[in-house]
Amino acid sequence: MKVALVTGITGQDGSYLTELLLAKGYHVHGLIRRASNFNTQRIDHLLFEGAHEPARNLTLHYGDLTDGTGMRRVLDLVKPDEIYNLAAQSHVRVSFDHPEYTADVIGTGFLRLLEAARDHMATSKAEIRIYQAGTSEMFGSAAPPQSERTPFHPRSPYAVSKVAAHWYGVNYREAYGMFVANGILFNHESPRRGETFVTRKVTRAVGRIAVGLQERLALGNLDAKRDWGFAGDFVEAMWRMLQQDRPGDFVIATGESNSVADLLDVAFDVIGENWRRYVVTIPRYERPAEVEHLRGDATKAREELGWRHSLSFEELIRKMVDHDLKLARRERALQDAGFDISRG
Ligand code: NAP
Ligand code: F7E
């Protein structure tokens, strides 16, 4: 049985990747942060078999990318064949408010993980294959379409930190012959997407507007263009990267870009409303430096990994709106029954 360690297992991608690895027969170990509230909602459905029996092939460990000693301990205990490093302070706008923390988790955090894996391999003589969750944000202001040959021009502390992690990966490949694959993933979304990212913020608002729970939606830049795909498709590419004979860097994208205004068109169309009646733009949601246009060229991934996306932009957004309409109807029913849904 193969053993995988997933950092960031409680996040959007962590949950889809864990489903995929469990279905392939892996034992999955996940690193989770201690939090004052439950933070395992996205993987709760995987934690138990039957009513109360803990899942045999999924084990969680407390850890943090800022704590190298703890990660070393987990690595020595788990002895993974593959590590998927998904943990990150992943919000671009927030990285301008917390640049040092963002760099510590993403850049130095990955370095800590690489060092722990290098030492573990030296003593155990076992190979560990490592996936690093790189991002299209590393291209920043480089003109589209962006491919593995496009030079990076990062535009945020988040993106600069991801560039550092990317090059740590390349360096450990070249210096120590380690198997480190750098994914360069364009935006990928789902009903499990965090509610402060623009797709989910819009689809949540559409659901709530439809049932009369919200009247306004405040956004920032509506002109920015992104290459949006489905997260469930993208985690498959991560796994494929670690099954290759040699490690490499791969762009994963749909090849189609749309603006935030296009996103609003599709999402509000599902409920037959015109978004201009509801949307206001405010400076608070703008960024000190914006990334205007990302559209990926995933030819290498198609040819070498045999990877393809399954959902189009429109299908994805409609799926998210359908999900969030159901959620909003439940919220509405609770409110009508006298529960205060704002306080839980
Ligand atoms: P996400 O939903 O924000 O999940 C991030 C995960 O990292 C969560 O499990 C979070 O834990 C964990 N985490 C945050 N800080 C940590 C720390 N200091 N130590 C340990 N864990 C920590 O992100 P995602 O969308 O799944 O993305 C997964 C990865 O891919 C991230 O590295 C992201 O930067 C990268 N990426 C994402 C996209 C995209 O479009 N989604 C595109 C390219 C690259 P909590 O649950 O406790 O907060
Ligand atoms: O913004 C604009 C915003 O925060 C997309 C992360 O997963 O993907 C994500 O980063 C665009 C930007 O995603 C609002 O200015 C307008 O141009 O959904 P987002 P992101 O910044 O592209 C990459 C690939 C990652 O790696 C990251 O981890 O939408 N926008 N109004 C807004 N964005 C937000 N969040 N909120 C708004 O109100």
Side-chain angles (χ1 to χ4, degrees):
M1 180 186 270
K2 272 197 183 176
V3 175
L5 173 65
V6 179
T7 75
I9 194 168
T10 55
Q12 170 190 254
D13 291 6
S15 66
Y16 284 109
L17 179 66
T18 301
E19 283 172 4
L20 179 98
L21 294 174
L22 290 174
K24 288 188 183 295
Y26 279 67
H27 189 125
V28 179
H29 293 266
L31 205 68
I32 62 162
R33 299 196 289 179
R34 191 268 157 186
S36 66
N37 271 318
F38 290 115
N39 61 357
T40 54
Q41 293 91 332
R42 291 188 180 100
I43 52 168
D44 277 347
H45 62 295
L46 304 173
L47 289 174
F48 292 95
E49 287 166 15
H52 302 293
E53 190 75 13
R56 270 163 302 168
N57 295 336
L58 176 57
T59 314
L60 301 181
H61 308 262
Y62 282 113
D64 197 299
L65 273 255
T66 59
D67 177 6
T69 318
M71 278 198 297
R72 278 171 182 273
R73 226 175 271 133
V74 171
L75 224 69
D76 291 341
L77 182 75
V78 166
K79 301 180 181 48
D81 301 297
E82 298 173 3
I83 299 177
Y84 295 85
N85 183 38
L86 310 185
Q89 188 302 94
S90 69
H91 204 283
V92 174
R93 174 68 192 83
V94 172
S95 77
F96 287 98
D97 299 331
H98 299 291
E100 287 180 32
Y101 174 71
T102 303
D104 193 23
V105 176
I106 293 177
T108 311
F110 186 46
L111 183 60
R112 289 184 188 101
L113 190 58
L114 286 170
E115 278 292 276
R118 184 163 80 92
D119 289 349
H120 177 87
M121 286 195 291
T123 42
S124 69
K125 307 289 177 223
E127 195 202 31
I128 303 179
R129 295 183 167 208
I130 301 174
Y131 172 80
Q132 163 56 18
T135 166
S136 51
E137 285 292 304
M138 300 189 297
F139 295 125
S141 56
Q146 296 95 358
S147 74
E148 296 82 2
R149 294 175 305 284
T150 307
F152 296 142
H153 187 145
R155 297 266 290 167
S156 63
Y158 168 78
V160 173
S161 308
K162 285 286 187 182
V163 171
H166 176 98
W167 284 110
Y168 283 136
V170 173
N171 183 238
Y172 274 58
R173 227 151 59 190
E174 293 173 354
Y176 307 117
M178 285 170 64
F179 192 112
V180 184
N182 284 309
I184 308 176
L185 274 54
F186 283 61
N187 298 53
H188 44 279
E189 321 290 315
S190 73
R192 298 182 198 169
R193 183 60 142 152
E195 295 188 16
T196 60
F197 297 99
V198 77
T199 52
R200 190 78 200 289
K201 185 171 170 182
V202 167
T203 61
R204 274 296 267 148
V206 166
R208 290 170 62 84
I209 286 168
V211 300
L213 286 175
Q214 188 171 330
E215 288 173 355
R216 285 276 169 274
L217 169 60
L219 294 172
N221 177 13
L222 305 188
D223 298 325
K225 290 185 170 167
R226 291 290 183 276
D227 180 332
W228 279 297
F230 172 50
D233 290 340
F234 280 47
V235 298
E236 165 87 26
M238 299 175 185
W239 176 78
R240 288 188 183 216
M241 282 180 222
L242 295 198
Q243 314 313 311
Q244 301 305 297
D245 292 336
R246 282 189 309 276
D249 306 331
F250 292 91
V251 160
I252 304 297
T254 72
E256 177 190 335
S257 62
N258 288 280
S259 67
V260 175
D262 297 331
L263 159 69
L264 289 165
D265 282 338
V266 175
F268 277 83
D269 183 60
V270 179
I271 59 165
E273 290 284 352
N274 184 337
W275 58 265
R276 289 174 182 80
R277 280 187 57 203
Y278 302 96
V279 172
V280 291
T281 56
I282 59 172
R284 180 175 159 197
Y285 294 120
E286 288 170 7
R287 290 145 193 216
E290 174 65 290
V291 171
E292 295 297 342
H293 192 175
L294 294 174
R295 179 164 54 85
D297 172 358
T299 307
K300 183 182 173 193
R302 271 198 306 279
E303 289 176 355
E304 295 184 20
L305 304 179
W307 178 85
R308 272 169 186 68
H309 69 284
S310 71
L311 281 191
S312 71
F313 168 69
E314 284 213 19
E315 288 166 338
L316 167 68
I317 300 306
R318 287 177 184 277
K319 181 185 167 95
M320 290 173 68
V321 173
D322 286 346
H323 174 274
D324 285 339
L325 271 169
K326 288 193 192 106
L327 203 57
R329 284 188 195 115
R330 278 212 297 273
E331 285 175 347
R332 179 77 218 204
L334 280 172
Q335 192 180 63
D336 291 348
F339 290 97
D340 180 353
I341 58 171
S342 63
R343 271 188 283 159

